[in-house]
Every structure is written in C-alpha cells, then in structure tokens.
Amino acid sequence: MTLLATPHRFAALGAPIVQPATATPLPAPQLLWHQPGLAEGLGLPAPWCAGATGLALLSGELAWPGYPAVASAYAGHQFGRYSPQLGDGRALLLAELHTPQGRQELQLKGAGITPFARGGDGRAVLRSTLREALACEALHALGVPSTRALAVVASPLQVLRDEQAETTAVLCRVAPSFVRFGHFEFLARQGDARHLQRLADWVATQLFGLPDDAALPAPQRHAAWLREVATRSARLVAQWQTLGFCHGVLNTDNCALLGLTLDYGPFGFVERYRPHHIPNASDTDGRYRLEAQPAVMRWNLERLLAACQGLLGDDANSAADSAAGHTTAVLAAYDSAYAQTVMARWAAKLGLATVQPGDDRLVLRWLKLLQQGRADFTASFRALGEQPPAALRERFGAAAPAFDAWAQDWQARLAAQGEPAAVVRERQRLANPRHVLRTHLAQAVIQAAQAGDAAPLQRLMAVLARPFDDQPGADDLAAPPPAGTPVAELSCSA
Ligand code: AMP
Ligand code: MG
C-alpha cells in the first residue's frame, strides 16, 4: 500500500519549535483496539491497521517511511502558574496524511522519551490511554470537536504510577493540528519574535486559510485568526457545559488552537449535578471545576493574546487597529460566541426552537432543581424529553413542588411555541444524549482490558458511537453508577 503523505508542514517550521525525536518501541506490542471508520477516512484500510506494517507504525516500532518524527516545544500556565518549558514529553508527530477532509496529523502518545521528557519516562499507562481513546471517540460522536483516537497498542511493559506498577500502551491520535496556546507562550517568553511570527504566519495561512501578507496586512491577519480561535474555543466550552463535560486540567498547554478537546486526563462527565463538580483529585482548589470552565478558557485566551501582542501592531491613529483594540475585539468575540451558543444549546435541550427573553431563567431554575434533587444530569435531561413531568417529580425529592411549578412554566413556554409534540421530542432527543462516558463504565472496560479481555471495550466504543440512539440491550451503559460504586481517584499525567 502506498501512503499519500508529505513531510508534515508543522515539522518544517524547524527548531526551536520542533526537534527530531525517535520512538522507543514497546515490547510485545498488541493492537488492542482501532477505529475502522477513521482509519478508512485516512486511507488506512482496516486490514492494514491489523497487519504487521500497521502494527509496527502504530506502535512506533517502524518510522513512517521518509518522514522523521518530531516533538514540539511549548510552555503553559498550569493551574494559573507559568511553566516555561513543557513540550511533547511523550508525544511524537509522525506523518501528515492527505484526506478528502483535508490534511490530518498523526501523533503517537506514550512511545518513549523525547527531548522534552524532563525526566519523565515517556510512557502512558493502559488505563489513561483507554480513557483518552474512549473520550476522544465519545466526544466526537456527541458532535464535540476533539482530537480523534485511531488505535491503541498495548504492551506488557510496566511503569510505576503512584507507586503502583501498571502496564503501558501507545495511543495513535489524529487531528488537523495539535498546536496549543502554549506554543505561542513558549516563543513569546523566550523573546523569539522571529519564530513567533513564523508560527503565527503558518497558523494563519495553513490552519485558518487566510491570505498572505500582500492581501491582508499582518496585524489584521493575526487578529482574524485569533478571533476565530476565540469563537471556536467559546463554542467548544458551550458544548462541554451543556453536556456536563469537565476537562479537568484546563491549562493553556492543553488548549488546542483549533478549538478541539485535547489531552484527556482526569476528565469526567458530571453525574449527580453539581456546578462545582471536580473530576481531578489533584485540583484541590477546584480551579477547573465544571462551572469555572467558560471563565478559565477566557483567561487562557488572554494568556494567548498576551503572547501575541507583538503581532497585533500598534497603529496610534486608530484605536481599533492597535494591539489593545484587537485584544478587546477578540475577547468580545469569545463572550458573544459563548453566550449565543450556550443559550441556544440549553434551549434545544429543553425542546425550544428559539431563545426568547426569560428562557435563561427557565434554564437556571431547571439546573437548580437538578442540583437540589442531586439528580443525574444526563439521565434527567433525556427523561425530560421522554416522560410526562408527573413521572419525573420523584427525582427531585424535597424539591418536587418546585419542580411542579417549573414544569408548568416550561410546558406553557413549549405550548406557546405551537409545534407538534413529536417535533419537540425529536429536538430534545438530538440535544440530550442517552449515553455519555461515565467514569465507572470506563473503569470496567479498563479492568477487563487489563485482564486481557477487549470485548467490553469494543462494546462500549460501539454504543458511545451512537450516543443519541436508544440501543437495544445497552441500558447498562446508560445508567448512573450503582449506589456504593467507589469514586475513581483521577489525577494528572498517568
Ligand atoms: P499533561 O499533564 O499530560 O498535560 O502533561 C504535562 C506535561 O508533562 C507535558 O509536557 C507532557 O508531555 C509531560 N509528560 C506527562 N507525562 C509524561 C511522561 N510519562 N513522560 C514524559 N513527559 C510527560
Ligand atoms: Mg498536556
């Protein structure tokens, strides 16, 4: 098979943005899972992935023919504090593939140390690799922009995490680009204006399709892509909030310029609804709690804008064409895209066709009820579109009378819309998934995979690929965790 690949454009940016890196193959690699649909789209037919060459490329044993791998340098604000030197410590960029949907980069995560490993072992444990693969594919199926998971190759090699030996794996992940906010922070803090400009020009023309200097002067060009980053990031967070997804480690180095969900670690979907849900056991202050994400992403965007100040010009004659003017406009784009998207999505979840004055109150009252009743976020939203309110009131315990009052107002609002009930129900079905990646479901398939049984993983992946459908025999993969299920302790960088 001939693979249509080019030397990746990102690698061509050269040092100090990227450095050559080589994979350290895992012993006894075994293809545990791969995503046939994604593989086909990349021009990698399923038999190839499962064959000897596919396995060798997907595990890092074989270099991509003709295209040396690289790792990239980035910095980032971690929990609010600046870390000057992070980078791809355990990720390698392989080839860039041409697909009908555009170019896609292939990365291996966990294939050994790189020049940025900073004393780390360059590995990823099977547990965290499967959580990342599951989440990438679950979010993608929910319509949320995400890096994708192509394959998981497992190995008996063990590494220590929290003083426990665990087996390792390599994840092959795919995205049009893995560029992060932190790449810009790194170059700006180094005072490397030349490479910052180079990266920004590359991003503008290659990722955002903007015309080059002649057609659009530099400050406007950079302001244009930064506005696009703001809009995409705002829409992404609005999707997270309305699905109850909490990223867990929303550092600037984990924020993709393309507005993709990136670097899954201690993430979690909220179950019993709490706005201050914190899936990351290391996040003791709750900096990255569910309700904080919109403000945190905005703060991260401000760090990106600070790094890009030198690119935004300084036209003393025009406030709008100054760096300060562009910065204000980018943040305003974030605020308005977030406000618009989040309300439109809450409204659709309640069956509303448009957003009308007062709908925000209706949403807030409903969320408050979920919180008071400690009701399951995903199941309650889904049930609202499937059952009459009288059948739901029990969920709210002492708040049942408040639920009755709310349900009356909600039904009046729906009636005023004048749509057939079936139309409303279908809108709600398509906005409220039956299946999300609940932590206990991930834990169960991880345990089975660690014991050598990949069948539960395959089954969960298949169900999560159609999250809005009622799938016969899959009720156990929709239900909240049974009472007494231990809370998983999730932390960073496993
Ligand atoms: P994360 O918390 O996974 O976003 O990782 C933060 C930083 O630590 C990134 O620069 C990673 O590349 C690096 N890192 C995490 N785990 C390892 C590891 N096992 N070996 C080398 N670098 C790592
Ligand atoms: Mg990271």
Side-chain angles (χ1 to χ4, degrees), residues 181 184-185 222-223 226-227 230 298-312 323 326-332:
F181 291 11
F184 288 86
E185 292 181 279
H222 298 311
L226 282 162
R227 270 198 311 277
R298 192 184 197 277
W299 189 88
N300 290 351
L301 193 61
E302 289 183 86
R303 305 285 77 72
L304 174 65
L305 284 160
C308 292
Q309 284 301 287
L311 300 168
L312 294 175
H326 287 307
T327 300
T328 306
V330 171
L331 291 172

Side-chain angles (χ1 to χ4, degrees), residues 89-104:
R90 52 172 170 171
L92 295 173
L93 178 58
L94 306 177
E96 182 175 52
L97 300 181
H98 298 234
T99 80
Q101 288 76 43
R103 300 189 195 198
Q104 298 284 335

Side-chain angles (χ1 to χ4, degrees), residues 445 454-464 471-477:
V445 305
L457 168 67
Q458 307 281 3
R459 175 173 176 250
L460 182 58
M461 282 283 196
V463 167
L464 293 176
Q471 302 175 50
D475 286 355
D476 60 318
L477 301 185

Side-chain angles (χ1 to χ4, degrees), residues 348-365:
K349 287 172 84 76
L350 294 183
L352 306 176
T354 57
V355 178
Q356 300 293 330
D359 287 348
D360 50 351
R361 273 290 305 147
L362 203 62
V363 171
L364 286 175
R365 280 170 67 201

Side-chain angles (χ1 to χ4, degrees), residues 159-183:
V159 293
L160 280 181
R161 291 291 182 270
D162 296 326
E163 295 169 20
Q164 300 270 328
E166 288 193 54
T167 57
T168 46
V170 172
L171 173 68
C172 182
R173 56 184 189 177
V174 180
S177 165
F178 291 89
V179 175
R180 303 150 190 264
F181 291 11
H183 281 104

Side-chain angles (χ1 to χ4, degrees), residues 74 180 253-254 263:
Y74 54 81
R180 303 150 190 264
D253 51 297
N254 290 337
D263 274 11

